Amino acid sequence: LALAKQNIITTAFAHETLFQVGAELIKRRHFESALYAYGAGTASLEEEGIATVSLSRAYLSETILTLAMGDMVAASKDFQRVHLQRTSYLSSRECALAEDLIRACNDMDLEALDEARSKSGSHRSAMANLDPVLRQLVMDIRVSGRAKKGKGAAKPKPATVEKAPSAGGGAVAATKALPATAAATSLPKKELTGDELQQSLDAGFAEMDDIMNDMGLGDDDDEFDLT
């Protein structure tokens, strides 16, 4: 722990890179890994020793992520034993929102939860200042269990097949509906048949899964014990 503290990067705006990583992990529903990223950014801000709005938002982000993981006990524990120990956080809008979110989940009061995260409620300023990804995650929080999958969550587009006219009448040509980067790297320049295209797509997605597993990002449904 001492060695880790000695090597904390405190360069200006270093925390923003970590928060960007965390936001991308939230989009992929890897909440536990996202919490690590946001925690690292928070540690960087704390090391600076300066009370900033960014630090208050970082504390709120940790609370939101922990609640999204369905661990209300850990969220309450960190809020009381860590976040509230910084005097500047006590009077912040972010602290008020975090407290109401935790209380609503603790009481399993859906009405209070909806009121706390309402875009027109008393916490509208704190909500408006959140990263859009975190703002959506707040709306996905449930009074028990992990956050539900939001309607706006990105889903991979399946390959589509269209019929193209030909001299023989009725030949089928495959057309692709996949990201440009995957198309550029996985497809050869020559024209592919429908079977060849599907095999290429399967290989590309399998390679992506292997990379995510090597990074330890695994399945987003794995539980993480913070106690």
Side-chain angles (χ1 to χ4, degrees):
L1 180 60
L3 180 62
K5 288 183 176 180
Q6 291 176 6
N7 290 276
I8 291 179
I9 298 176
T10 57
T11 307
F13 306 112
H15 62 280
E16 292 188 357
T17 301
L18 292 166
F19 291 164
Q20 290 173 2
V21 172
E24 183 61 31
L25 289 168
I26 291 175
K27 293 179 183 178
R28 299 172 182 269
R29 315 300 288 182
H30 297 298
F31 298 148
E32 290 80 5
S33 299
L35 183 58
Y36 276 120
Y38 275 95
T42 300
S44 178
L45 289 168
E46 288 176 334
E47 189 67 16
E48 294 177 2
I50 303 175
T52 64
V53 176
S54 295
L55 181 57
S56 294
R57 292 174 185 169
Y59 284 153
L60 174 58
S61 299
E62 291 183 2
T63 297
I64 292 171
L65 270 166
T66 310
L67 290 175
M69 291 162 52
D71 197 340
M72 190 280 301
V73 174
S76 180
K77 180 179 178 181
D78 290 341
F79 179 74
Q80 295 178 8
R81 298 186 182 182
V82 180
H83 303 167
L84 293 185
Q85 302 309 309
R86 188 164 292 267
T87 306
S88 60
Y89 185 58
L90 295 172
S91 58
S92 68
R93 297 169 179 172
E94 288 76 15
C95 180
L97 174 55
E99 183 178 10
D100 284 354
L101 290 174
I102 292 173
R103 182 183 293 112
C105 291
N106 185 42
D107 297 339
M108 300 189 71
D109 188 339
L110 181 58
E111 183 178 348
L113 178 61
D114 288 339
E115 182 179 352
R117 62 191 177 187
S118 173
K119 296 179 181 179
S120 59
S122 58
H123 300 302
R124 58 183 178 276
S125 296
M127 287 286 293
N129 290 329
L130 284 173
D131 183 283
V133 176
L134 280 165
R135 194 183 309 136
Q136 179 59 50
L137 186 58
V138 174
M139 305 307 294
D140 295 342
I141 291 175
R142 298 186 295 179
V143 292
S144 65
R146 290 176 68 91
K148 61 183 180 180
K149 197 164 187 177
K151 295 181 180 180
K155 296 180 180 179
K157 295 181 180 179
T160 59
V161 177
E162 297 180 358
K163 292 184 178 180
S166 64
V172 177
T175 60
K176 54 184 178 299
L178 67 162
T181 53
T185 56
S186 62
L187 297 181
K189 294 182 179 179
K190 68 177 183 179
E191 185 176 359
L192 299 178
T193 65
D195 291 339
E196 290 174 338
L197 177 58
Q198 187 60 49
Q199 292 177 1
S200 179
L201 287 174
D202 292 341
F205 284 122
E207 183 178 357
M208 291 174 64
D209 289 339
D210 291 339
I211 293 174
M212 294 295 291
N213 290 331
D214 291 340
M215 294 174 63
L217 298 181
D219 191 340
D220 60 355
D221 289 329
D222 291 342
E223 295 295 333
F224 186 81
D225 189 3
L226 294 178
T227 58

